[in-house]
Amino acid sequence: MEEIRNMYAQMGISNAVFEYGEEITENLKERFAEIDQNAEYNQLKVLKAMQDHQVSEACLLGTTGYGYNDLGRDTLEQVYASVFHTEDALVRPQITCGTHALALALMSNLRPGDELLSPVGKPYDTLEEVIGIRPSKGSLAEYGITYRQVDLNKDGSFDWEGIAGAINERTHLVTIQRSKGYQTRPTLSVKRIGELISFIKKIKPDVICMVDNCYGEFVELSEPSDVGADMVVGSLIKNPGGGLAPIGGYIAGKKECVENAAYRLTSPGLGKEVGASLGILPQFYQGLFLAPTVTAGALKGAIFAANVYENLNFAVIPNGTESRHDIIQAVTFGTPEGVIAFCEGIQAAAPVDSHVTPEPWDMPGYDSKVIMAAGAFVSGSSIELSADGPIKPPYAVYFQGGLTWQHARFGILKSLQSLLDKKVLTVADVEKAKEKLRKSAK
Ligand SMILES: *Cc1c(COP(=O)(O)O)cnc(C)c1O
């Protein structure tokens, strides 16, 4: 459509980049239809949970002070438990972020002398300090909780023998990270997580299996809690907050696990009974309601990005055609210039702070400089269009989000335009990629 082309031109997208994006999109129609179907199922799943628990207008009001008898908060937690098919859930604005939710789940369910096992390699950067892999004040290590790790095999498969060998009489909790995070390993499908949990439970039935579910919610038809996970944990400023939740985290799982977490979050003796919701519940409810379709838009953006950059000969994980289990897209540029130009493009595409230039900085919790592009309505929200690039080899960026597919698409085109403007790529490279597409279509 001519109007759209003109609009893109007004927003700094050259004709070469626009045309390239058009061809990529054309090739993705079938996959996008599949994603829409998935979103439809998950939309109904969320709606059914809300109806089954009779969410009412009164649930949207908040409490203050101690927050006793907070109908909206308690009902929301039941809704989450229904969505994840768990016995209980803790969904609170007092859980400040994903790391906090994970730390809370770990610290409340482990005791001195216990051992924590990660059978899927190194966990997300910020968890290194929670566990004490990197010495840190207040870490699990300081409380006498030890940690063991079994890496994935080179081809991304589980090291079954190594895992069996690592489970011992002190192993009390197994942490499984669904998403690749800042790594280039594959993200785990719900099916593979289920296989892993079955294997572990066969060896030690009473071990608690926790899944770091960040970025994975609503990407598939089922969740890790449908295949044996005792706890799923995540952040509300990622998928399940639907872009509307301005803060928060959740833990859904076995009653005892959630109870332990509640006593740790507030206080022994108080647990889930306190914690005023203030005025935040409408955003939590409405965000969860929108989460399946918002996640679908972000997923389309990730697939679009994979195809745009794969055809330009950059290494992408996941690749352009493989199935998806989270909303993160890694693109390896191999140079700091590539990472920086990409992030500048994403920033320039934002609805907020599009006029500022992101720069690499020493972020708390990370062991190298990181450049972050985020012009979000909710600060740091990564269900909104955003990108992070640790400035260290292999110089990969991790792109995610987009509250709408249309915005994600614009952001990726803008990132490509930025690579051209910064001379990391040339127009000839884009033309060559277009040619390649045509050949493979034949
Ligand atoms: C984002 C994320 C976290 C931490 O969440 P924050 O909200 O950034 O603290 C943990 N694990 C994974 C896999 C993540 O993607």
Side-chain angles (χ1 to χ4, degrees):
M1 209 209 298
E2 211 44 43
E3 286 86 349
I4 296 183
R5 182 192 298 267
N6 289 339
M7 201 66 209
Y8 273 110
Q10 282 178 48
M11 297 185 75
I13 303 295
S14 64
N15 212 39
V17 169
F18 175 77
E19 295 280 347
Y20 181 49
E22 287 292 283
E23 293 201 22
I24 298 272
T25 309
E26 187 58 34
N27 291 342
L28 292 172
K29 281 204 168 129
E30 263 171 54
R31 284 195 78 189
F32 284 8
E34 233 172 85
I35 291 170
D36 286 336
Q37 217 169 31
N38 202 58
E40 189 172 348
Y41 175 87
N42 283 322
Q43 178 72 80
L44 295 177
K45 177 159 79 173
V46 168
L47 180 61
K48 182 170 191 307
M50 289 183 175
Q51 293 183 348
D52 286 351
H53 290 287
Q54 303 193 337
V55 172
S56 62
E57 201 173 348
C59 291
L60 303 176
L61 303 172
T63 54
T64 57
Y66 294 108
Y68 294 131
N69 303 313
D70 189 320
L71 174 72
R73 177 196 69 205
D74 295 348
T75 304
L76 180 70
E77 290 180 337
Q78 287 172 20
V79 169
Y80 263 73
S82 283
V83 166
F84 288 103
H85 304 124
T86 56
E87 291 172 7
D88 204 356
L90 189 66
V91 186
R92 303 284 168 127
Q94 288 85 6
I95 301 176
T96 57
C97 60
T99 304
H100 186 190
L102 289 157
L104 181 62
L106 291 172
M107 292 178 166
S108 60
N109 282 287
L110 287 161
R111 295 290 179 273
D114 286 346
E115 188 160 275
L116 168 68
L117 170 68
S118 170
V120 296
K122 189 183 89 67
Y124 194 74
D125 280 25
T126 57
L127 282 199
E128 290 185 23
E129 285 180 272
V130 171
I131 295 166
I133 300 171
R134 274 185 285 144
S136 185
K137 272 203 184 4
S139 69
L140 292 172
E142 276 197 351
Y143 286 88
I145 295 158
T146 56
Y147 171 70
R148 218 181 254 242
Q149 176 178 315
V150 178
D151 290 337
L152 294 172
N153 293 323
K154 284 239 156 53
D155 63 358
S157 62
F158 297 125
D159 175 4
W160 299 111
E161 216 172 292
I163 295 167
I167 297 171
N168 59 62
E169 67 291 347
R170 293 201 299 112
T171 310
H172 188 67
L173 198 153
V174 173
T175 180
I176 300 166
Q177 185 178 307
R178 180 172 176 178
S179 166
K180 70 178 107 26
Y182 276 164
Q183 287 175 66
T184 42
R185 65 136 162 117
T187 285
L188 303 177
S189 66
V190 170
K191 183 163 172 280
R192 285 190 71 200
I193 291 172
E195 288 161 5
L196 179 59
I197 293 174
S198 302
F199 178 80
I200 290 164
K201 295 255 180 182
K202 228 172 258 160
I203 298 169
K204 192 164 188 185
D206 60 345
V207 77
I208 299 169
C209 290
M210 177 186 99
V211 174
D212 174 351
N213 209 21
C214 282
Y215 289 127
E217 298 93 348
F218 303 122
V219 170
E220 298 186 45
L221 297 178
S222 58
E223 298 290 336
S225 41
D226 292 314
V227 294
D230 300 296
M231 274 193 284
V232 286
V233 182
S235 163
L236 298 198
I237 63 167
K238 292 178 180 172
N239 308 15
L244 292 186
I247 191 170
Y250 77 91
I251 299 171
K254 290 261 160 68
K255 194 162 185 46
E256 195 188 338
C257 294
V258 173
E259 213 164 55
N260 283 337
Y263 286 128
R264 175 79 194 217
L265 174 65
T266 63
S267 157
L270 299 181
K272 290 182 84 180
E273 303 296 316
V274 296
S277 57
L278 305 174
I280 215 156
L281 290 170
Q283 285 135 294
F284 279 13
Y285 277 106
Q286 198 176 348
L288 178 64
F289 180 75
L290 293 177
T293 48
V294 170
T295 302
L299 204 52
K300 288 177 187 174
I303 292 169
F304 180 69
N307 282 277
V308 162
Y309 284 105
E310 189 173 49
N311 274 296
L312 284 158
N313 299 324
F314 292 105
V316 294
I317 299 177
N319 71 32
T321 51
E322 72 189 272
S323 69
R324 299 269 157 170
H325 312 293
D326 70 6
I327 62 165
I328 303 186
Q329 182 61 47
V331 184
T332 301
F333 286 105
T335 62
E337 291 76 22
V339 170
I340 293 167
F342 178 94
C343 289
E344 285 177 356
I346 295 296
Q347 186 74 40
V352 179
D353 286 338
S354 64
H355 54 284
V356 307
T357 307
E359 278 179 27
W361 64 298
D362 290 301
M363 265 194 71
Y366 296 86
D367 67 355
S368 68
K369 277 192 193 297
V370 181
I371 182 167
M372 295 204 158
F377 297 108
V378 171
S379 179
S381 164
S382 47
I383 185 64
E384 297 187 48
L385 185 71
S386 51
D388 318 273
I391 305 296
K392 62 179 178 187
Y395 299 104
V397 294
Y398 298 80
F399 161 87
Q400 67 272 314
L403 293 179
T404 65
W405 147 240
Q406 288 79 0
H407 185 227
R409 178 178 143 89
F410 173 67
I412 294 146
L413 294 180
K414 197 80 179 156
S415 73
L416 177 54
Q417 188 66 53
S418 172
L419 286 159
L420 288 173
D421 294 347
K422 290 282 152 65
K423 305 203 164 24
V424 178
L425 286 175
T426 65
V427 174
D429 293 325
V430 176
E431 294 301 336
K432 237 183 280 167
K434 226 188 298 180
E435 199 52 42
K436 203 167 106 189
L437 265 187
R438 283 193 194 133
K439 276 199 192 121
S440 67
K442 269 178 199 157

